[in-house]
Amino acid sequence: MKNSKIIVLTEETFEDAISETCQILSSGGLAVIPTETVYGIAASINRPNAIRDIFKAKGRPSDNPLIVHISKLDQLNDLVKEVNETSKILIKKFWPGPMTLIFKAKENLDKNITAGLDTVAIRMPDNHFILGVIDRIGPIAAPSANISGKPSGTTINDIIYELKGKVDLFIDAGEVQHGLESTVINTLSGKPVILRKGSIDKETIEKEIGEVLIGSDGSEVRSPGTKYKHYAPDKETIYIKEINNTNEFYDFLENCSKDKKIGFIYFGKIIKLSQNDIISINLTDNSKIAAKKLFRSLRELDKKADIILIMPLPNTSGLWSSIEDRIIRGSDKIINF
Ligand code: TXA
Ligand code: MG
């Protein structure tokens, strides 16, 4: 068991927090630190034992590679063999920011980071704290801060109990900016492919580089991590994708509430709920707000309810498509009424 320290990030603590994080990571420890998307469990890419500890701390399958985070473009030289033209355009437009690019990896890179693949996933996060750390100690590997399979952490409170004792330090920077992970995109062969949907939507990427394919829509081309059940609460979770027959839906609801406390997530559109035993969270019809609050809401309802029902989305384009991806992969069942 590690002795997990917590530092609350403020203007006053900022510099000391960076120093302490650097000291811990340089000596082979782990720190939960903020990025603009979700919190990450960070280790220095030059500390192989710490990289292995990340997999242990998360209970992460060893065939699921990590993302390397950089703070300056020249750090790419030591990590990748080549930066192609499409990547150059995406880097210029979206870095620092929630976009992860796949490159051919240099041979000296730790094979545990890449899970033995000949490619490496890299991004430049848009967050002063993590950039400050990387500026001083070089690139760090960081998966999302959560036990594998659970929703990613968007506040320290959400993850402290599952990761306490497994990391040396928590940096509490409040709620993250986006709440959904980065978009992972592979530009290495043919048309660019989104391997994991994320905070930057397909339409926004297509404005820069033309047509982009989605690898997670049934094709075999996708990130190793996306084959695992993910983002899932412990309680039974049902995504109600469409309601055409309102009566049937209300019957179902009434049936559920007989013996279960229902946790309810909806998106702006108010529906009449007569049952008392319902805890409802309105994620609104604003996709940015919904993305930011989704994981927290799942975690909250997982604690307070017996069953979680997620109502239909306002639409499935843009960022809603990434939100729906997480909902589908976190749900036990998808139902249409
Ligand atoms: O926003 C984010 O990306 C957060 C923050 C902390 O940066 N990180 C994150 O990491 O979500 P993680 O480990 O939870 O997800 C990394 C995803 C996985 O789906 C993994 O399979 C994929 O990236 N990935 C990593 N290396 C890859 C590679 N070489 N080829 C294809 N996919 C890769
Ligand atoms: Mg993750």
Side-chain angles (χ1 to χ4, degrees):
M1 280 282 271
K2 290 170 181 278
N3 197 357
S4 309
K5 177 173 175 179
I6 305 172
I7 300 179
V8 176
L9 209 58
T10 63
E11 254 172 63
E12 286 74 47
T13 61
F14 193 84
E15 280 307 316
D16 284 348
I18 286 197
S19 304
E20 197 151 340
T21 306
C22 290
Q23 202 265 322
I24 283 172
L25 299 185
S26 313
S27 53
L30 300 183
V32 170
I33 61 178
T35 81
E36 81 281 33
T37 55
V38 297
Y39 278 86
I41 306 179
S44 161
I45 63 163
N46 300 314
R47 292 286 172 272
N49 288 338
I51 297 294
R52 280 196 288 271
D53 285 346
I54 287 184
F55 284 86
K56 273 189 237 153
K58 281 184 65 97
R60 183 180 178 105
S62 59
D63 66 351
N64 190 7
L66 305 177
I67 295 172
V68 174
H69 296 66
I70 61 172
S71 65
K72 295 191 185 81
L73 286 183
D74 59 17
Q75 291 163 344
L76 277 179
N77 299 332
D78 292 336
L79 301 167
V80 313
K81 287 186 174 157
E82 196 203 353
V83 179
N84 65 25
E85 288 309 312
T86 310
S87 297
K88 280 183 188 154
I89 298 171
L90 294 174
I91 287 172
K92 195 151 181 248
K93 177 72 187 176
F94 296 109
W95 280 7
M99 170 166 295
T100 297
L101 293 164
I102 307 293
F103 301 91
K104 284 277 174 211
K106 285 213 165 142
E107 264 91 29
N108 56 345
L109 200 64
D110 184 344
K111 290 283 176 284
N112 284 315
I113 294 176
T114 58
L117 299 176
D118 61 357
T119 55
V120 58
I122 302 184
R123 81 181 194 97
M124 188 187 287
D126 187 12
N127 172 283
H128 284 310
F129 181 81
I130 185 171
L131 290 174
V133 172
I134 303 168
D135 272 346
R136 289 209 212 161
I137 62 161
I140 56 185
S144 53
N146 54 285
I147 297 292
S148 266
K150 295 283 143 234
S152 303
T154 59
T155 69
I156 288 292
N157 253 341
D158 284 347
I159 43 181
I160 192 143
Y161 295 104
E162 65 193 50
L163 295 176
K164 216 171 168 184
K166 298 178 173 170
V167 302
D168 301 278
L169 179 64
F170 289 92
I171 298 294
D172 184 351
E175 189 176 15
V176 294
Q177 187 191 336
H178 292 287
L180 272 196
E181 300 84 349
S182 63
T183 304
V184 180
I185 180 162
N186 187 341
T187 65
L188 292 179
S189 55
K191 291 215 171 95
V193 184
I194 292 178
L195 301 180
R196 178 182 70 179
K197 293 178 182 180
S199 281
I200 301 178
D201 62 51
K202 179 171 180 268
E203 291 83 344
T204 305
I205 299 170
E206 287 184 328
K207 277 191 199 125
E208 306 304 319
I209 56 170
E211 195 193 350
V212 170
L213 308 175
I214 303 271
S216 47
D217 283 351
S219 112
E220 283 311 301
V221 208
R222 50 184 194 175
S223 279
T226 58
K227 71 175 182 246
Y228 295 105
K229 187 163 161 69
H230 227 303
Y231 317 107
D234 290 327
K235 303 287 168 55
E236 182 178 12
T237 301
I238 297 178
Y239 172 36
I240 298 162
K241 194 171 158 62
E242 272 177 42
I243 302 178
N244 297 312
N245 187 331
T246 327
N247 289 341
E248 255 182 43
F249 167 66
Y250 279 118
D251 286 348
F252 166 80
L253 207 57
E254 206 174 305
N255 231 341
C256 273
S257 65
K258 274 186 195 138
D259 54 350
K260 293 192 187 92
K261 188 164 199 170
I262 299 178
F264 204 74
I265 291 180
Y266 67 104
F267 301 89
K269 207 164 127 203
I270 295 163
I271 52 148
K272 269 201 270 101
L273 295 171
S274 52
Q275 285 79 6
N276 304 325
D277 245 9
I278 286 182
I279 313 160
S280 63
I281 298 180
N282 180 3
L283 287 184
T284 79
D285 60 3
N286 176 323
S287 59
K288 287 205 165 131
I289 296 175
K292 185 166 172 163
K293 305 282 181 195
L294 175 69
F295 289 148
R296 278 193 84 175
S297 308
L298 290 174
R299 281 177 176 276
E300 186 184 333
L301 295 181
D302 205 15
K303 276 191 222 134
K304 296 183 180 163
D306 303 315
I307 182 168
I308 301 172
L309 303 181
I310 305 174
M311 291 295 278
L313 300 177
N315 66 73
T316 49
S317 62
L319 190 54
W320 289 112
S321 169
S322 305
I323 294 170
E324 186 179 52
D325 171 80
R326 303 305 191 264
I327 292 174
I328 288 174
R329 288 199 283 131
S331 296
D332 299 289
K333 256 192 243 163
I334 301 171
I335 304 185
N336 294 312
F337 287 101

